[in-house]
Structure formats: C-alpha cells, structure tokens
Amino acid sequence: MTNKPNQKLFKASFPASLDHLSQLREFLYAIIKGEGLNFNEEETLQILLAVDEAFTNSVKHGYSGDQTQRIDIQIKITKHNLIITVIDKGKGFTPKKLQKADIVKHVKKLKPGGLGLYLIQNVMDKVEFSINPGKKNAIKMIKKLG
Amino acid sequence: MSEFTISERHENDICILELHGMLDAHTTNSLEDAFKRNISKGYIKIIVNLKYLEYITSAGLGVFMEFIEEIRENKGDILFCCYSQKIYKIFDLLGFPVIFQFFDEENDAIKFFQE
C-alpha cells in the first residue's frame, strides 16, 4: 500500500488462474470493509462482480488459460472514487459498448460471449480501456463513493 | 465468503437444484456437471432455487444458456425461483427474464411444471 495526500493505493498480483478468483474477491472485500467505504451490500457485490469479470476475461481470453502469467490489480481510493484497474500483458481485446437491446438479442441467441464486459460497464460508474496487446492491457473501473 | 455447492432433489419428474454460495468461472463446472447428469437421466424439468446463492457472474449465467436449447427441444424448461433482489438484478441486466421464467416460491415453479 502507498499513500499520497487524499488517496490510498493498494496493489496485488495474482497468477492468471481462475483458482484465484475467490482470493481476489477476498482481497478486494477486505479493502472495501477495512477502509470503511460506504457501499451497501448490492453495490459491494457489483464491485466484486466487475473485478471478477475483468480478471476472468484476462485469464480466459487475454492469456488463453496460460497459468504461468500474472494479472496485476491496483486499487486507488480517492476523496470521491474507488478506482480499480486490472492489468495483463495478454493479447488484448477490442472494447465494445453494447446497449441493453443488443445484449438481450445476444442472450436470446444464447451467445454467452461479451456478457462480462457488458456487466462491468453497467455496474460501474465509469470504465476506461487502455489496450496494448502483449505489453499492457488495462481496464480501469470507477465507482463513486457514496 | 463461501464457496459453491449444490443441493439436488427430485420430485417425480422434476429436478430441483438449490445453489449455495458463490457461482463464478471457477465453480461453474459443478453446475455444468449437475445439468449434464440430470439431463442424461432424463430430467428436463429443472428448477433452479436461488435462495442461498450469494453471488453469480456471467460465467454462471452462461451455464443456463448452454443447456436451455437442448432442454426446450425436448419439451422441458429451466425455471428460477426464490431469488434475492441483488441476484435478480444481475439476471435482469443481461435480459434473462425475457427468455426464462422467475417465480417467488419453489412451489409456484413446481405447480407450473405440473399444469
């Protein structure tokens, strides 16, 4: 953990394996509770969900299941925001902004791909992508503090 | 935060899968196995009881999408019941209520299958 005035920064690195999803959620949950962030149960679940989905995308698609790789997590708490960034060095992806009508059409056709990204964009207040395949792919997810 | 388990019951030709804990990309295998096992035994009327489900991700939702086509082709269905609002919201965000039926009580879902 490092601190600057009015912000706190936590960092962690996990093997790119779905075995670590539970550990990742516990790490995040401990920070949310430990720092006394004012999120209700539903908001907390949605934050865990967004990070879980981003991590899962990195494992499955970014690294195609290569468990020797790692995924970095940065959590920044500022005066007004909780900012979580999930970073990998995998093959990256093209971010799309889907609308609800698109996703319903998608689900009706029983195509599960892309649902995670849609969830992330709908449960967080702001999402930013920085994609540099093989170097640094970062998905920054922001939730306003209550 | 608890892991994921399934309690499985059968009432005549209906299979009830009661989900407990956290359903994520790591724990979906056991749900997939439960569907495969029951479908292979001929159970195509499946009720998924969400009362004790604390958490679900798109990977978990993908399991229901994986099996619904096969089940409906055989005149069966997957019904959901006993959901909390926080869990229902995730289903709703992805438009699941458009293609699946949700019931407040397990008995209502059982009656729906029996009618």
Side-chain angles (χ1 to χ4, degrees):
Chain A
M1 187 187 88
T2 53
N3 291 324
K4 285 182 183 176
N6 299 320
Q7 77 172 42
K8 278 188 175 180
L9 180 65
F10 301 83
K11 291 182 179 181
S13 175
F14 295 90
S17 158
L18 299 177
D19 295 352
H20 290 82
L21 277 172
S22 163
Q23 200 183 333
L24 167 67
R25 289 195 299 266
E26 281 166 14
F27 166 72
L28 187 54
Y29 187 81
I31 291 172
I32 290 172
K33 293 298 166 192
E35 294 300 314
L37 303 184
N38 192 23
F39 295 119
N40 63 30
E41 192 190 356
E42 185 174 314
E43 289 166 332
T44 302
L45 180 140
Q46 291 177 350
I47 294 164
L48 298 181
L49 175 66
V51 178
D52 188 320
E53 296 285 356
F55 188 90
T56 299
N57 275 346
S58 289
V59 172
K60 282 187 174 177
H61 308 300
Y63 288 131
S64 304
D66 179 358
Q67 298 188 10
T68 63
Q69 303 294 331
R70 295 192 77 83
I71 298 167
D72 296 326
I73 310 291
Q74 288 182 7
I75 301 173
K76 193 187 283 185
I77 302 167
T78 66
K79 192 175 175 186
H80 300 294
N81 295 306
L82 169 66
I83 305 165
I84 306 164
T85 310
V86 176
I87 303 159
D88 70 45
K89 293 179 182 171
K91 62 186 176 193
F93 61 96
T94 307
K96 286 179 187 168
K97 177 71 181 168
L98 291 169
Q99 301 301 316
K100 176 91 185 216
D102 299 325
I103 209 73
V104 170
K105 213 180 284 178
H106 205 64
V107 169
K108 273 184 173 172
K109 288 180 186 167
L110 304 175
K111 290 182 179 172
L115 301 187
L117 212 50
Y118 177 82
L119 280 177
I120 293 169
Q121 290 170 318
N122 279 274
V123 299
M124 299 301 278
D125 292 315
K126 190 175 178 188
V127 181
E128 296 172 358
F129 302 95
S130 168
I131 307 297
N132 292 290
K135 293 176 183 167
K136 184 181 178 183
N137 306 301
I139 173 165
K140 185 192 276 190
M141 299 166 282
I142 300 167
K143 193 84 169 173
K144 289 176 190 160
L145 298 177
Chain B
M1 280 180 266
S2 61
E3 274 308 316
F4 180 69
T5 57
I6 305 171
S7 304
E8 192 174 312
R9 289 177 278 128
H10 296 93
E11 291 205 15
N12 300 318
D13 62 342
I14 300 170
C15 167
I16 301 160
L17 301 175
E18 191 177 272
L19 312 187
H20 295 245
M22 318 285 277
L23 179 56
D24 63 18
H26 181 54
T27 57
T28 49
N29 284 350
S30 56
L31 183 58
E32 282 180 342
D33 290 345
F35 270 100
K36 282 179 190 164
R37 193 172 56 249
N38 280 287
I39 291 169
S40 72
K41 287 181 189 167
Y43 287 102
I44 51 165
K45 294 177 179 175
I46 298 179
I47 296 172
V48 180
N49 185 321
L50 304 170
K51 186 174 181 182
Y52 301 103
L53 187 68
E54 295 168 37
Y55 180 81
I56 187 165
T57 68
S58 66
L61 296 169
V63 176
F64 309 121
M65 293 165 73
E66 186 184 335
F67 291 101
I68 188 63
E69 200 165 18
E70 179 186 353
I71 286 175
R72 285 188 180 155
E73 275 172 5
N74 290 293
K75 311 287 180 206
D77 209 346
I78 301 172
L79 308 179
F80 295 95
C81 76
C82 316
Y83 49 87
S84 64
Q85 279 308 309
K86 65 176 184 180
I87 292 294
Y88 182 78
K89 189 159 184 182
I90 308 300
F91 280 89
D92 189 38
L93 270 174
L94 294 180
F96 266 60
V98 176
I99 53 171
F100 291 97
Q101 297 205 61
F102 289 77
F103 296 84
D104 289 340
E105 302 291 336
E106 189 179 287
N107 271 340
D108 296 338
I110 291 172
K111 277 180 200 160
F112 182 85
F113 270 142
Q114 289 171 337
E115 279 167 4

